[in-house]
Amino acid sequence: MRSWSRLILVIASACALGAPELCAADAPRMAVKRLFAPAADVEQGIVRLPTPEATPTRSQAAVFTGAFERATERSRVARFAFAHGGGPLRLIPLGPEACRWRGRVVVGAETIPLAGSDALVSRVSERYASQAVLGIEDATRTYELDVPAGPCVVEFWSDLPEGAGAALVVAEVGGGDDAPALVASLATRVNRAGAPLEFVVRGESPATGGLAPAVSAPVDVIGAAVTWSDGAVEQSSVVRSLKDGSARVIFAGARAGEAIVRIDAFVADARGVPRQRSLFYLTRIADGAVFAGAARVHRDPSVAHWIRCDIEVASAATDETVFACAELWAIEGARQRAVGWIGGLAEVAVERGGAFVRLGFDGGQVDLVKGERLVLRNARLHERDGFAPLDVRAEIVPELEVALAGGGRAALDPSAWGGEPGLASVAVPAVSSFLPPVGAHVLVLSHGYCADSNPWPLAQFAGDAWPYENLETNLSNDAFAVDIASRAAQFKSYGIVGHSQGGCAALHLYTFYWSGLDWAGPGRLMQCVGSPLEGTPLAGNLAALGSALGIQCGSNFDITPDGAAAWLAGIPTAARARLHTYTTTFTNVPFFYDYCNIVTDIFLSDPEDGVVEHAAGHIVGAQDMGLKTGWCHVSGMRDPAQTGDSARNAVLNAQGAR
Amino acid sequence: MMKTATATFVAALCCAAARGDQWCVAPAAIADAGTVTRTVIVPPTADVRTIVGARVRVAATHPWVGDLAFRVRHPSGVEVVLVDRPGIPSVGFPGPWGCGGDNIDCWFDDAAVAAAETTCSVTAVPVLAGSLRPTGVLASLKGLAPQGVWTLIVSDSVAGDAGQLTAACIEITTAPDCNVNGIDDAVDIAAGTSADADEDGVPDECGCVADLDGDGAVTGADLAVLLGAWGSCAACGADLTGDGQVLGDDLAVLLSSWGACGAS
């Protein structure tokens, strides 16, 4: 129960108890960490940006968005047209009150009524399905029916106001593993404002038997459009079909910010029948600093043995904060070896007339032998929010002004002098709930992206658990992490149990900032359940559908496969190792259901929890705590919400560090 | 309340003995969000020498040293803050609650390079260790008499974490008293109780008065100085007996001191 008088008392107590930084006038500041990873992280690709082809977006369905138009004085109609190759279809209308819409399918001269009709209803199989994942409380109905090949028009009537959003997902029944997929990936990792934005589009058809790897299938792109962050919609200026059956889709002059690209295409199935597909690709156009080409490695005059690496950049804003990183290589003639990796959030600084970002490392960790020179490789700059790559340089040769001969000396403790202070001034803690006392050591229970409540049942946790709440908000991993640290600044130390994106935020906080996580006692520091650590293919669809239906919290690049890949490439093994990951999937009930959500099932590969695929809920280097059946991502899906699993919660509670 | 005798100090004494005597307080619980004081009496003696230097050793277990402040109070009431909630105010690290490291086992020493107030680490245990510069200045005790009731004040400012003061000692270095008369040598010289013919600040009865060239040994060079001053010599350094002349009695003093000063 919330009480304003108690709230005031708690804040006042925090000030009085000797934490003046918790008072309004002096918001606590966060220091960033200077990251160093050993050569093994470089050699194993842990901190290397994967190629764009490694994180494609797939679609085995066609998705249409539209709006209800006036049909009669009292009724409105939404129409969706597509080409059907023949066979059983699954139609899923999405939108407010969708279960009350009446619909029909018109194929050639034949009209097949859907719900609400008395005729031919036996041809249509209906099921109710939750739209909770879209943030729509009421369910929808899904329809399965056999439809002859040809142009199809699906119509829905409702009494919703004109302009009310509606969407339709069309997929072949029983498609799943056998359905051809439209696959798109970015042509380049770095996509900057003003430059062309290019996609590689291809088809993928399952090999016979379903077990062999998919084979490429011819793709015929019929349309591509992008919605830029400012709302402007632009058709693709170039769609080029290549000899190998793939295609290139290019948008000239990308605009900064998150963009949603829609690609429509026909993909041939195993029998050569073209199947209409569409996908929404959420990406982020970066705009910020780029490398200037030079770097300087020199001794830090204030900390013994600490080495500074100043990498010159060109930036329009001197207060710009970026994530910067580079591999350290020792080169002698033809011989070369990785000696480490450095990274961290850094503010662009100006000194001696030049702009640069400053990284650092312990001189004892890098040992060059006689004749070897130091080279920075795969140097990267990323935006702070979203981690969209700003620039990648294959090699920068720094001016080396210090001898690097660590000689096996024990590594310094970087926390002994903290980080670079003041990059993130956290807000005054909003003491939204106050179960444990101010100054306690607690277990933070975090919700995920755009949650409307904290999903963790407090009764299943000890009294020192504290529910973080910033509801119905769309935050980047960085902003999410800083927000957790801000609100949890009322506590001395904490471990985090994070649901969904809350787990990503926990890992981000621990990796890039000094916080109460660093002071937690023994136990599992970060435990995440159903976290899209490697992103979710739903991100683009949810953003597009949410936008079309006027719901949801907006797009979030961090939870796309591309965004997650860019983000993870900045997280070394040492940080990953403190993360315990738990995933869940649905119960397979033959003849009833084999999904968590029939809508999202179309876009996800099994096993999945309705939002996050099992494979994306774990990352190399983290502690994989396994996949549990019978639990879905959120409530409203076929199985209970994974955060309600009392057996697991007992473990999270008992094992969680405070 | 006893002069250094606890077993925990054996190791420290091996290096600290040359510095001065140590006086330790008894262990005590550090109450959560409370203050504890511990006293030790440096007993009155005929020795009236004054303090020229002091260090304080503190050993305590506590899971959050940023909660703690330590002060040492001289019998006259002069207080020196040893450390006051290390890590506060924070510049980002270690965070708003100060240094969250465990335990203290360090010497507070004005001569230390690292400041106790800003020393912190998420991994080092004890987090305050070695020799650290106190927040206040222990040199402010200089010139005061060591005798009387010394007080160590330990305060814990934040509820939630408690600890234990396991050891705390003050090491007091007093002014030199080479003639062991219980009075500062400087006072002896100023009062005329002791002569300081060579003006080296050391009473002549302790010094090597025949080392006329000040090289630390009585050698032929000193003999040459003495012979050069032979005869009547008012207040000259070679007049080792102070009778206004450099004669055979002075030569006898020089020869009796022959060799390295202090060698006998």
Side-chain angles (χ1 to χ4, degrees):
Chain A
M1 299 293 288
R2 299 181 185 186
S3 150
W4 284 108
S5 59
R6 176 72 189 274
L7 175 66
I8 292 165
L9 175 66
V10 169
I11 294 176
S13 301
C15 299
L17 280 173
E21 293 80 358
L22 296 183
C23 305
D26 303 299
R29 290 150 65 86
M30 297 178 68
V32 295
K33 291 180 176 176
R34 287 283 156 259
L35 307 178
F36 179 88
D41 274 19
V42 175
E43 291 154 358
Q44 294 166 17
I46 299 287
V47 286
R48 190 169 287 176
L49 201 56
T51 60
E53 301 84 59
T55 52
T57 291
R58 284 184 172 78
S59 174
Q60 292 174 298
V63 181
F64 304 95
T65 57
F68 280 98
E69 299 169 352
R70 180 188 170 94
T72 66
E73 182 67 29
R74 297 182 60 184
S75 68
R76 311 286 178 264
V77 64
R79 287 191 179 85
F80 304 97
F82 58 94
H84 178 46
L89 268 187
R90 174 177 293 152
L91 304 175
I92 309 173
L94 298 170
E97 304 177 13
C99 64
R100 293 178 52 227
W101 300 352
R102 292 179 301 114
R104 68 179 186 181
V105 179
V106 180
V107 190
E110 186 178 13
T111 297
I112 306 169
L114 298 175
S117 168
D118 295 330
L120 295 172
V121 113
S122 60
R123 288 184 61 180
V124 181
S125 168
E126 282 184 30
R127 295 186 198 191
Y128 282 94
S130 167
Q131 300 185 90
V133 72
L134 281 170
I136 301 174
E137 283 187 13
D138 42 301
T140 184
R141 281 192 254 206
T142 72
Y143 308 97
E144 293 180 4
L145 64 165
D146 204 345
V147 178
C152 280
V153 176
V154 178
E155 297 174 338
F156 291 102
W157 282 270
S158 82
D159 54 5
L160 289 170
E162 274 184 77
L168 177 67
V169 177
V170 180
E172 291 93 42
V173 174
D177 295 340
D178 300 325
L182 174 64
V183 183
S185 56
L186 288 162
T188 58
R189 275 286 176 216
V190 178
N191 293 286
R192 294 184 58 90
L197 174 65
E198 185 171 348
F199 290 87
V200 178
V201 182
R202 58 192 173 83
E204 207 174 73
S205 186
T208 309
L211 294 177
V215 296
S216 62
V219 65
D220 179 13
V221 176
I222 55 174
V226 60
T227 304
W228 302 114
S229 58
D230 59 8
V233 178
E234 187 179 311
Q235 301 298 316
S236 169
S237 57
V238 180
V239 178
R240 198 169 60 221
S241 295
L242 304 181
K243 286 180 181 173
D244 64 0
S246 67
R248 295 281 176 135
V249 169
I250 303 170
F251 299 93
R255 303 187 193 182
E258 293 187 355
I260 301 173
V261 174
R262 177 193 176 104
I263 299 173
D264 293 283
F266 285 107
V267 181
D269 67 13
R271 293 177 291 121
V273 177
R275 298 292 182 179
Q276 189 166 346
R277 297 288 182 258
S278 55
L279 62 74
F280 292 103
Y281 204 114
L282 173 59
T283 190
R284 186 173 174 88
I285 310 304
D287 189 16
V290 294
F291 289 116
R296 180 173 162 243
V297 175
H298 59 110
R299 194 175 298 284
D300 186 330
S302 59
V303 182
H305 307 300
W306 192 250
I307 306 297
R308 287 173 172 174
C309 180
D310 296 345
I311 307 176
E312 288 186 20
V313 298
S315 170
T318 52
D319 60 348
E320 181 182 2
T321 296
V322 297
F323 173 77
C325 64
E327 298 170 4
L328 305 179
W329 285 77
I331 310 289
E332 185 188 14
R335 289 193 310 148
Q336 50 187 326
R337 63 188 178 96
V339 292
W341 174 90
I342 53 175
L345 292 166
E347 200 168 59
V348 173
V350 176
E351 201 173 275
R352 298 192 296 190
F356 63 92
V357 289
R358 173 165 289 164
L359 301 178
F361 59 95
D362 174 359
Q365 292 171 310
V366 176
D367 206 352
L368 299 187
V369 299
K370 192 175 179 182
E372 285 184 326
R373 61 193 175 91
L374 185 73
V375 169
L376 309 180
R377 285 189 172 166
N378 296 312
R380 309 196 312 264
L381 293 173
H382 295 247
E383 288 184 328
R384 176 186 189 171
D385 280 311
F387 266 55
L390 286 159
D391 196 8
V392 177
R393 283 288 176 105
E395 190 165 290
I396 297 174
V397 180
E399 288 178 42
L400 189 59
E401 301 173 5
V402 59
L404 295 175
R409 179 174 55 76
L412 298 171
D413 173 3
S415 70
W417 61 90
E420 309 268 331
L423 273 192
S425 277
V426 299
V428 177
V431 189
S432 58
S433 53
F434 28 77
L435 301 169
V438 167
H441 308 278
V442 304
L443 185 64
V444 173
L445 306 177
S446 174
H447 57 71
Y449 162 74
C450 204
D452 60 1
S453 64
N454 190 303
W456 299 102
L458 269 183
Q460 294 178 12
F461 292 85
D464 59 1
W466 177 77
Y468 160 85
E469 284 186 2
N470 186 0
L471 304 176
E472 296 177 345
T473 308
N474 178 14
L475 298 172
S476 67
N477 285 344
D478 187 77
F480 203 150
V482 171
D483 194 59
I484 290 176
S486 169
R487 292 166 191 267
Q490 60 187 303
F491 304 115
K492 283 179 174 170
S493 70
Y494 44 83
I496 297 179
V497 172
H499 179 236
S500 198
Q501 197 197 358
C504 304
L507 180 59
H508 187 98
L509 178 61
Y510 179 70
T511 305
F512 301 113
Y513 295 100
W514 295 106
S515 72
L517 277 170
D518 293 286
W519 294 116
R524 296 176 185 170
L525 188 64
M526 297 169 284
Q527 302 177 92
C528 68
V529 180
S531 291
L533 296 162
E534 293 189 349
T536 171
L538 288 183
N541 294 293
L542 290 180
L545 291 171
S547 173
L549 299 174
I551 49 175
Q552 272 292 352
C553 291
S555 58
N556 189 317
F557 181 63
D558 292 73
I559 57 174
T560 67
D562 285 331
W567 172 68
L568 283 173
I571 300 180
T573 299
R576 296 170 181 229
R578 299 300 307 273
L579 178 69
H580 289 70
T581 60
Y582 304 79
T583 52
T584 67
T585 192
F586 49 82
T587 307
N588 191 343
V589 183
F591 307 110
F592 287 94
Y593 65 93
D594 60 350
Y595 49 77
C596 274
N597 180 274
I598 196 169
V599 183
T600 62
D601 182 62
I602 292 171
F603 304 104
L604 299 171
S605 298
D606 295 344
E608 41 89 1
D609 67 6
V611 172
V612 176
E613 294 164 337
H614 165 65
H618 299 288
I619 51 172
V620 173
Q623 313 302 316
D624 184 348
M625 306 309 290
L627 172 72
K628 193 167 181 179
T629 298
W631 300 90
C632 294
H633 197 78
V634 290
S635 58
M637 295 185 167
R638 294 307 299 250
D639 289 326
Q642 56 197 186
T643 49
D645 181 350
S646 60
R648 175 186 289 113
N649 290 346
V651 173
L652 299 175
N653 177 60
Q655 301 292 332
R658 267 74 168 172
Chain B
M1 299 183 201
M2 53 189 176
K3 193 171 176 181
T4 308
T6 55
T8 55
F9 273 79
V10 173
L13 279 173
C14 72
C15 304
R19 289 170 164 269
D21 294 331
Q22 293 181 4
W23 304 84
C24 300
V25 300
I30 301 173
D32 190 13
T35 298
V36 61
T37 59
R38 276 289 181 267
T39 57
V40 61
I41 297 174
V42 177
T45 65
D47 191 333
V48 294
R49 286 177 296 160
T50 57
I51 298 169
V52 293
R55 298 192 305 161
V56 179
R57 185 215 176 198
V58 170
T61 56
H62 194 285
W64 197 277
V65 299
D67 287 358
L68 301 178
F70 291 84
R71 288 172 289 155
V72 64
R73 183 186 299 153
H74 180 267
S76 69
V78 172
E79 258 184 29
V80 177
V81 177
L82 301 175
V83 68
D84 183 4
R85 304 198 61 194
I88 293 176
S90 169
V91 290
F93 177 82
W97 296 93
C99 184
D102 292 359
N103 306 345
I104 301 174
D105 190 351
C106 70
W107 282 96
F108 293 99
D109 186 340
D110 287 346
V113 174
E117 204 67 37
T118 54
T119 296
C120 191
S121 159
V122 298
T123 54
V125 179
V127 68
L128 299 187
S131 188
L132 299 173
R133 197 168 71 250
T135 305
V137 181
L138 287 164
S140 63
L141 301 171
K142 275 185 181 175
L144 302 176
Q147 290 83 7
V149 180
W150 288 78
T151 307
L152 179 75
I153 304 152
V154 185
S155 54
D156 179 321
S157 299
V158 181
D161 295 305
Q164 180 80 26
L165 176 71
T166 54
C169 301
I170 184 163
E171 180 189 85
I172 300 169
T173 304
T174 47
D177 178 24
C178 69
N179 53 13
V180 202
N181 67 350
I183 299 171
D184 293 358
D185 288 343
V187 174
D188 282 337
I189 294 168
T193 311
S194 296
D196 184 18
D198 55 358
E199 298 178 341
D200 64 353
V202 179
D204 289 348
E205 63 266 32
C206 310
C208 192
V209 292
D211 178 16
L212 298 175
D213 63 357
D215 68 351
V218 179
T219 63
D222 301 301
L223 178 59
V225 172
L226 186 141
L227 294 176
W230 197 263
S232 178
C233 175
C236 71
D239 177 13
L240 301 180
T241 58
D243 62 357
Q245 300 177 90
V246 178
L247 297 171
D249 54 349
D250 299 301
L251 179 61
V253 171
L254 186 146
L255 295 175
S256 69
S257 307
W258 197 263
C261 289
S264 60

